[in-house]
Amino acid sequence: MNIKKLAQELNLSPATVSRALRDNYQISPETKTKVLAMAKKLNYEPNPFASNLRNQKSKTIAVIIPEVANNFFSQAINGIEEIARMRDYHVLIYQTHEKSETEIAFTQRLISGRVDGILISISSETNDNEHLKEIIKNIPVVFFDRVYEDIDAVKITTDDYESTYNATCHLIACGCKKIGYLLALNNISTGKKRFDGYKNALKDNEIPYNSDLILTDSNNDEENYEHIKQLLHTQKPDGIISSVEEMALPCYYACKELDIRIPDDIKIISFSNLKTAPLLNPSLTTITQPAFEIGKEAASIMFKILDKKYFEPNQTHILKSTLIKRESTSF
């Protein structure tokens, strides 16, 4: 059922039916009532996409993220959707699964005009931003969480350096002298800043940096688990910082298997937005990012851009993370 068929049933012009459905003041109340009654009887539903096409807007924004299963990104999406709903916009979610070629394919597909703007958090594999520079020429783009420093676009990030620096100092204050680091996202600025925070905190507290205490994420869960067990068994660190939440739970499993007590033998901190962190045994000390607020901020700025309101094209917004101290780092 469309407007043309509805008009035939009512013996009215399609233009009159369209105006009546939009509550146009030119149409009499009697005609509006007649049109709405027939529309309900025939189960007519207006097509928002056709209307938006006539207005040269898709009323849709795209969100490109590494993975939905990550607690940070699921909360960020909730923030984005809250703002989008207020503007009567649809949100399309694209997962890259940390693959740069998938990210490139998505951005090239979206240039065609099927969305009004793109919110993106880059994949950990991305080491060339030419495809992003190209899309920025054609469509509004806002980066969040994982960003490129050298690209002219609005960026919403957290204080990654300060967060890891403070977390490392917290472990040192708890008596740790041999702190391991689970390194991830080392291809992009997010991971680099976190790692720099760890190294500089050691330096400022006169603790020597030891590369044997660094374990790099392999993007394979089974391999990561075996490597963590080997690190704990051979190096015997008294503290661990995980730069991503995916490597926090394997630390707990490995400690249980090796009969290492948390926090007596080793203290653990992880970047994590896990809602179950307080329920772990012992509860996990976390660097918790304001994921929901980051999503809201990114979407709010996108709509300012779409409304052609003033904004700095290369501004960076930094939101503060929170170190939540729990039993995994207690004395």
Side-chain angles (χ1 to χ4, degrees):
M1 179 57 59
N2 56 38
I3 283 182
K4 192 174 289 187
K5 291 179 182 177
L6 189 57
Q8 289 172 352
E9 291 287 335
L10 291 160
N11 198 26
L12 296 170
S13 71
T16 298
V17 172
S18 177
R19 291 192 189 103
L21 291 169
R22 288 185 282 114
D23 198 24
N24 190 293
Y25 72 94
Q26 295 175 315
I27 307 301
S28 69
E30 295 79 10
T31 300
K32 289 177 186 177
T33 301
K34 183 179 174 183
V35 169
L36 290 172
M38 183 62 73
K40 184 176 181 181
K41 178 182 176 182
L42 299 178
N43 294 317
Y44 168 77
E45 290 287 342
N47 184 344
F49 294 102
S51 174
N52 295 335
L53 191 60
R54 287 192 295 273
N55 295 327
Q56 296 185 320
K57 278 186 178 287
S58 69
K59 297 286 284 185
T60 304
I61 56 173
V63 180
I64 302 177
I65 55 172
E67 56 179 336
V68 171
N70 182 295
N71 289 282
F72 171 86
F73 290 115
S74 63
Q75 291 175 33
I77 289 169
N78 287 340
I80 292 167
E81 288 184 327
E82 179 172 297
I83 300 300
R85 277 195 302 271
M86 292 167 59
R87 297 293 300 261
D88 196 27
Y89 259 69
H90 302 277
V91 179
L92 299 179
I93 311 295
Y94 295 84
Q95 292 187 80
T96 63
H97 299 287
E98 301 287 12
K99 301 294 182 184
S100 59
E101 64 267 23
T102 306
E103 180 178 295
I104 292 170
F106 286 154
T107 55
Q108 290 176 342
R109 188 183 306 169
L110 292 168
I111 289 179
S112 64
R114 65 176 63 191
V115 297
D116 296 335
I118 298 173
L119 305 173
I120 182 169
S121 187
I122 62 176
S123 73
S124 60
E125 275 191 6
T126 302
N127 50 28
D128 183 352
N129 61 12
E130 288 305 312
H131 65 290
L132 299 171
K133 289 180 178 177
E134 185 62 31
I135 197 171
I136 285 170
K137 298 175 185 175
N138 296 277
I139 192 169
V141 178
V142 173
F143 291 84
F144 68 99
D145 186 46
R146 304 185 192 177
V147 305
Y148 269 115
E149 300 290 337
D150 60 343
I151 203 163
D152 289 336
V154 179
K155 310 171 189 76
I156 318 297
T157 66
T158 55
D159 53 342
D160 291 298
Y161 174 90
E162 292 82 359
S163 296
T164 319
Y165 184 96
N166 292 335
T168 308
C169 289
H170 173 60
L171 287 180
I172 295 169
C174 290
C176 297
K177 292 181 169 48
K178 195 175 183 183
I179 302 170
Y181 188 83
L182 308 184
L183 175 62
L185 312 177
N186 50 311
N187 253 359
I188 57 180
S189 65
T190 301
K192 293 173 183 175
K193 286 180 178 179
R194 292 178 184 180
F195 194 32
D196 286 344
Y198 160 78
K199 289 187 291 185
N200 286 338
L202 293 180
K203 181 181 177 182
D204 291 348
N205 286 275
E206 299 181 344
I207 295 177
Y209 169 78
N210 182 354
S211 61
D212 291 335
L213 291 170
I214 311 304
L215 190 156
T216 302
D217 180 17
S218 68
N219 288 323
N220 180 297
D221 292 341
E222 291 183 8
E223 282 184 18
N224 283 338
Y225 180 64
E226 292 303 321
H227 292 163
I228 289 169
K229 273 203 307 182
Q230 186 177 4
L231 173 70
L232 296 176
H233 178 69
T234 59
Q235 298 300 321
K236 294 181 171 47
D238 55 11
I240 285 281
I241 295 178
S242 177
S243 62
V244 289
E245 74 177 22
E246 291 82 1
M247 298 176 82
L249 289 181
C251 283
Y252 273 65
Y253 299 144
C255 285
K256 183 175 182 180
E257 185 174 337
L258 296 171
D259 199 26
I260 297 172
R261 298 169 301 166
I262 308 169
D264 298 334
D265 302 325
I266 189 170
K267 302 185 191 302
I268 299 175
I269 295 178
S270 178
F271 274 86
S272 178
N273 282 66
L274 277 171
K275 292 184 178 179
T276 55
L279 305 178
L280 296 176
N281 186 21
S283 57
L284 175 63
T285 294
T286 59
I287 303 164
T288 300
Q289 298 169 280
F292 183 78
E293 290 74 17
I294 287 173
K296 285 182 66 175
E297 182 79 358
S300 297
I301 290 176
M302 172 57 71
F303 286 116
K304 285 181 181 178
I305 295 171
L306 294 177
D307 291 341
K308 295 181 169 49
K309 293 182 178 178
Y310 175 80
F311 72 99
E312 288 287 343
N314 197 28
Q315 60 182 295
T316 298
H317 297 240
I318 300 175
L319 281 67
K320 297 287 185 182
S321 296
T322 305
L323 179 64
I324 302 177
K325 300 171 185 178
R326 299 191 179 98
E327 294 170 352
S328 69
T329 59
S330 62
F331 290 101

